[in-house]
Amino acid sequence: MSCRTAFILRDADGRCLVTAEKHSWWDLGRAEHVDGMLEMIRRTGMPTDDGRAADFVDGWHCRAVAIDMVERRVRHFQCGMSLHSAAHADSFAAWVAAAPVWSGWDVGYAWGGRQGLLDAVPQAAPAVAPDDPAPADIPLAALCARDEWFVGWDAGRSEITVKYAESSADWFHSGCSVVSVVRPDNVVLDYRLEYWDVAGWLTRHGEAVVPALSAEAPYPLPDESTIGRSAGAVLDTASRRLRYWTADAVPPAAQERLVAAWPGWRTERLPYGYPGHLACTGRTDHDVLSSPEQLRGGGWDDALLAHRDAGRRRLAVPADTLRACRIVVVDD
């Protein structure tokens, strides 16, 4: 199977067109590529109000871009096969938005998936198939097993005791998601979930996850390589603020269900993935983050790393604002 890219254009004259390409490699950051893409859409595009265009943009299109020449808006998303992480997608989107070709435009990533393209061109709604996935059925007790490395938890000292090494939990968790709870006393407790669909888990159980997590011993922070392209959330109990992140699209209907499951909370997507997660919990430069040397060659270059670092600096809280748990290592 190969990538199919959907294109939506609301042209300067107000007409709205939709088309698609297989093996499309237009570079959104280069003016000559954008010009060629616009020419292709105008040449092959079908009016979105044409009955043949109904639900044209569907699940077969793993990449897409929507451009409004009137309001100067752009939304786009990448194929999941080339999406290395949520942080990578946000960094790529920041790089595209900073390109001279889009100076003065509203350019963003379509985190709502194909329906997120309508943030740029709402007139294309007839051509975009609805996306309303079934709510996830994930148990409340979704924490990763810890028998192999865990020794104890001292709540008074906020200390987690582990075997072997501070990173020993990573040896037994090949992949996980991370949820951090910020208590009213500004202590941050970190937990590992064995499911990647954190947004679905938060929707399924709502605010009940807070006492459920608080009743459990926390975990050491996972290494970024253990997180991979997974997901996470930060639950600030004092301000009743929920910030989640995921490398996958959260369609508008799913986002609405998540907000409804947390009444009285400010619910929003957290940008820059795991680096953003660490930054907003007072750990901007924590050593669990992959180094630039580790990331180069894996889809990252200096420009994307610069946008990642700028993004997490904007999210950072002072290091002395929040207090994380201490990790104590004992011999087996």
Side-chain angles (χ1 to χ4, degrees):
M1 185 184 299
S2 58
C3 286
R4 288 190 60 84
T5 304
F7 300 89
I8 296 171
L9 172 66
R10 183 187 181 212
D11 218 338
D13 60 6
R15 63 178 181 149
C16 195
L17 303 172
V18 63
T19 190
E21 277 189 333
K22 195 172 184 178
H23 303 303
S24 178
W25 299 106
W26 300 109
D27 186 337
L28 287 175
R30 296 172 59 181
E32 64 272 26
H33 276 239
V34 172
D35 288 342
M37 181 177 62
L38 292 173
E39 188 280 328
M40 180 275 297
I41 300 171
R42 289 165 177 149
R43 175 170 43 83
T44 66
M46 182 189 315
T48 57
D49 58 1
D50 187 316
R52 295 171 298 167
D55 294 342
F56 180 90
V57 183
D58 58 16
W60 285 103
H61 299 95
C62 61
R63 298 168 46 169
V65 58
I67 302 173
D68 187 332
M69 302 294 291
V70 179
E71 300 294 339
R72 296 167 68 86
R73 291 188 297 246
V74 177
R75 292 295 182 271
H76 59 93
F77 63 77
Q78 301 180 65
C79 172
M81 297 293 289
S82 62
L83 179 58
H84 301 276
S85 65
H88 185 271
D90 279 311
S91 301
F92 176 73
W95 174 80
V96 172
V101 66
W102 301 119
S103 178
W105 286 62
D106 171 10
V107 182
Y109 199 82
W111 281 112
R114 59 181 180 267
Q115 287 181 280
L117 301 170
L118 300 179
D119 291 342
V121 188
Q123 296 82 357
V128 178
D131 186 11
D132 186 10
D137 186 16
I138 301 173
L140 181 58
L143 298 177
C144 292
R146 59 173 121 210
D147 295 343
E148 299 290 342
W149 56 267
F150 180 73
V151 176
W153 160 239
D154 187 327
R157 293 175 177 268
S158 296
E159 288 183 352
I160 307 168
T161 303
V162 303
K163 302 175 186 177
Y164 316 124
E166 287 194 19
S167 61
S168 60
D170 289 333
W171 306 350
F172 303 97
H173 301 160
S174 59
C176 68
S177 302
V178 60
V179 175
S180 297
V181 176
V182 182
R183 298 191 321 205
D185 62 359
N186 290 332
V187 171
V188 183
L189 306 180
D190 303 304
Y191 299 90
R192 300 184 182 206
L193 274 64
E194 62 179 355
Y195 293 88
W196 61 267
D197 188 2
V198 170
W201 179 72
L202 292 168
T203 301
R204 172 72 175 80
H205 300 289
E207 198 172 348
V209 306
V210 176
L213 292 178
S214 300
E216 298 284 345
Y219 291 60
L221 274 173
D223 188 86
E224 188 170 14
S225 62
T226 305
I227 291 290
R229 63 184 300 273
S230 193
V234 177
L235 311 176
D236 189 325
T237 57
S239 64
R240 296 177 66 81
R241 185 181 188 185
L242 184 163
R243 287 183 281 183
Y244 72 93
W245 55 273
T246 174
D248 297 299
V250 179
Q255 170 71 15
E256 290 170 6
R257 285 194 293 268
L258 175 57
V259 171
W262 290 76
W265 285 65
R266 178 182 171 186
T267 302
E268 60 195 307
R269 184 182 169 274
L270 175 64
Y272 293 96
Y274 197 33
H277 185 125
L278 296 177
C280 75
T281 54
R283 299 171 288 197
T284 306
D285 298 313
H286 201 286
D287 58 9
V288 297
L289 279 180
S290 299
S291 68
E293 292 70 29
Q294 291 171 313
L295 293 173
R296 287 191 186 98
W300 292 86
D301 59 21
D302 288 343
L304 293 182
L305 288 168
H307 283 293
R308 180 200 70 163
D309 293 341
R312 64 191 178 110
R313 282 195 297 270
R314 289 192 296 271
L315 291 166
V317 301
D320 58 353
T321 301
L322 302 174
R323 182 163 57 92
C325 298
R326 180 169 174 260
I327 310 299
V328 177
V329 180
V330 297
D331 295 332
D332 184 15

